[in-house]
Amino acid sequence: MARHGVRATGVDFSPSSVEYAERVARDEGVPARHLCRDYLSLRLSERFDLAVMVMRDYCAMTPRDRLRLLDVVDRHLVPGGALLFDVDAEPALERVREDVEYAPGLMDGFWAAEPYHGFRHTFRYDRERVSLDRYDIVTASEVRVFHNWVRYFDPTSLASELARGGFVVEERYGDLTGAAYDPGADSFAVLARRG
């Protein structure tokens, strides 16, 4: 967005993500500000025209945290401001299969800098429209466990949840670039405003 002249502020709780974003902005000569913060507890004095959430991050949160996020976004939007974000869609859940995977260095070394053995267990919770990938990462010195929860939405369930947070869906897209909505796709995006 900053490449197109938008005054942009990025927020991420990962120091390495913020460092990467700052390096790219600096290398490209793009004026963008990056904050290493938890957006669920963000309190800035400024307000924005648009809040954008990427990578279907909304779906990885608990229902309580999703409502908390909507409150944080509302506090940071100017009157008439909007929230644009993408979500995992119902058709993607239908393709999730419960299974187990094991591999040395599972996911090409993603989980640790040192050698490790990785176990992935996938679970489906159809009534809740949720899946879980549980990763057990075993190194020579420790065992770490990661949970990747995903909530899958259809336009109606998402609109209902947003309404509980005080937002109304204004537009629905195929992705964050504005592609046409496809009801059979694995994800979709919405533009929502305070209702």
Side-chain angles (χ1 to χ4, degrees):
M1 287 184 275
R3 287 183 191 120
H4 297 283
V6 173
R7 186 174 52 91
T9 299
V11 179
D12 198 303
F13 68 82
S14 165
S16 60
S17 293
V18 171
E19 289 168 12
Y20 174 79
E22 288 177 339
R23 185 172 58 252
V24 169
R26 190 174 45 255
D27 290 350
E28 294 183 13
V30 174
R33 179 173 71 153
H34 303 95
L35 304 174
C36 188
R37 308 252 181 95
D38 178 355
Y39 56 66
L40 290 178
S41 58
L42 190 66
R43 287 196 174 274
L44 302 174
S45 60
E46 60 206 293
R47 301 291 176 260
F48 302 90
D49 296 314
L50 178 67
V52 179
M53 176 177 267
V54 299
M55 302 295 296
R56 300 178 313 277
D57 206 26
Y58 187 83
C59 297
M61 290 185 269
T62 66
R64 180 182 300 149
D65 282 345
R66 292 193 302 264
L67 289 175
R68 191 170 146 205
L69 170 75
L70 295 176
D71 183 56
V72 169
V73 168
D74 182 49
R75 283 196 317 266
H76 288 90
L77 289 177
V78 300
L83 168 62
L84 175 66
F85 66 105
D86 54 355
V87 295
D88 289 276
E90 288 278 344
L93 177 60
E94 300 313 315
R95 290 186 266 289
V96 172
R97 300 290 171 248
E98 289 191 326
D99 67 355
V100 177
E101 178 183 7
Y102 159 77
L106 181 70
M107 295 175 62
D108 297 323
F110 173 82
W111 295 104
E114 61 191 294
Y116 67 89
H117 296 273
F119 301 84
R120 180 192 48 80
H121 303 253
T122 300
F123 305 91
R124 277 179 60 150
Y125 303 91
D126 289 335
R127 186 171 46 106
E128 295 83 3
R129 312 312 291 158
V130 170
S131 69
L132 166 65
D133 284 326
R134 174 190 160 135
Y135 295 92
D136 294 84
I137 306 304
V138 182
T139 67
S141 60
E142 66 180 338
V143 176
R144 293 181 297 145
V145 178
F146 300 91
H147 296 92
N148 184 27
W149 294 94
V150 178
R151 166 64 161 97
Y152 300 83
F153 289 95
D154 62 26
T156 302
S157 63
L158 182 59
S160 176
E161 180 165 298
L162 289 173
R164 285 193 299 280
F167 282 80
V168 175
V169 173
E170 189 170 283
E171 298 284 340
R172 186 170 56 229
Y173 305 103
D175 60 29
L176 292 172
T177 67
Y181 171 70
D182 175 359
D186 287 349
S187 64
F188 65 95
V190 296
L191 180 73
R193 294 188 195 274
R194 190 76 177 155

